[in-house]
Amino acid sequence: MTGKLVIGNWKMNGRLAANLVLIEALQADAAVQAARVAVAPPFAYLGQAAALLAGSNIALAAQDVSAFDKDGAYTGEVSGAMLADVGCRYVLIGHSERRQYFAEGHDLLARKLQAAVAAGLIPVYCVGETLAEREAGTYKAVIAGQLAVLGALAGYDCVVAYEPVWAIGTGRVASIEQIDDMHQYIREALLQCHGASGSIRVLYGGSVKADNAEAIFALQSVDGALVGGASLDVDNFGRICQAAKKTV
Ligand SMILES: O=C[C@H](O)COP(=O)(O)O
């Protein structure tokens, strides 16, 4: 399936009953069915989601993965092989909330990326600057440092999600000019470091909603969106998927 990729990151939200309602509504939404879409429930609900999504065009994503790629005494960890086993196609790595709350640094993220591709998953590697870094003008250097982690992944299918931290959950979406500037910068950085920018899709994330999605997807430099809050509202998420389909 071609077109802009839309991934719904449920973050730490959901219950069995609510998930059933949401997933059945997503499957009944023609725009969602026609789009290139994935949802990322919490680990606890991947099995339920996989069973409900079986046979649908909605792919499954996980929100994180262990850096350990062999089963063993790693209490609390979930391996890439387990995620693939339950039907995940994608896995988010390095989301800003994990960098912030769990101090996930470059070495750990590099190991997680390797573990994900070893398990046959498509990593969705998240990068983004804080408001302080944006205002200080150091944001492009910050992103370049974050992208350097991808060095070991040349040749693998990978997705990058540019998510300015100051736009996440704030309703303060980056401007079209800011998004285009950063997406073009990321592509150029990937081309220089890995010669792979052509094969790496670059998504935008940060307060993507039904009313701003079409303008964002109209940018050639944007290959899709990583959607947080709006992914829990089938009407909003469906309209984002509709916008994605319109701007193939
Ligand atoms: O993973 C999704 C991003 O953190 C964006 O979240 P948001 O759409 O709630 O701003």
Side-chain angles (χ1 to χ4, degrees), residues 9 11 95 97 163 167-170 205-209 226-230:
N9 176 10
K11 303 193 179 181
H95 190 283
E97 290 150 5
E163 299 203 307
I168 295 175
T170 62
S207 295
V208 174
K209 308 294 180 191
L226 182 53
V227 181

Side-chain angles (χ1 to χ4, degrees), residues 24-77:
E24 288 184 340
L26 290 172
Q27 289 178 310
D29 186 304
V32 173
Q33 285 303 317
R36 189 177 199 174
V37 61
V39 294
F43 284 141
Y45 299 120
L46 285 174
Q48 177 196 24
L52 292 170
L53 293 173
S56 84
N57 82 307
I58 302 173
L60 192 60
Q63 297 179 22
D64 187 30
V65 64
S66 173
F68 295 103
D69 61 0
K70 300 282 186 299
D71 290 357
Y74 309 111
T75 301
E77 291 288 275

Side-chain angles (χ1 to χ4, degrees), residues 205-231:
S207 295
V208 174
K209 308 294 180 191
D211 60 5
N212 61 34
E214 196 161 334
I216 294 169
F217 290 147
L219 291 170
Q220 285 297 310
S221 61
V222 171
D223 295 313
L226 182 53
V227 181
S231 69

Side-chain angles (χ1 to χ4, degrees), residues 167-207:
I168 295 175
T170 62
R172 180 183 168 191
V173 65
S175 72
I176 292 300
E177 294 72 23
Q178 288 171 324
I179 296 171
D180 198 29
D181 176 47
M182 290 311 293
H183 277 236
Q184 292 194 44
Y185 174 74
I186 289 168
R187 283 186 194 292
E188 185 54 38
L190 290 172
L191 189 62
Q192 283 177 9
C193 300
H194 320 297
S197 78
S199 64
I200 293 187
R201 288 163 288 178
V202 185
L203 312 183
Y204 170 76
S207 295

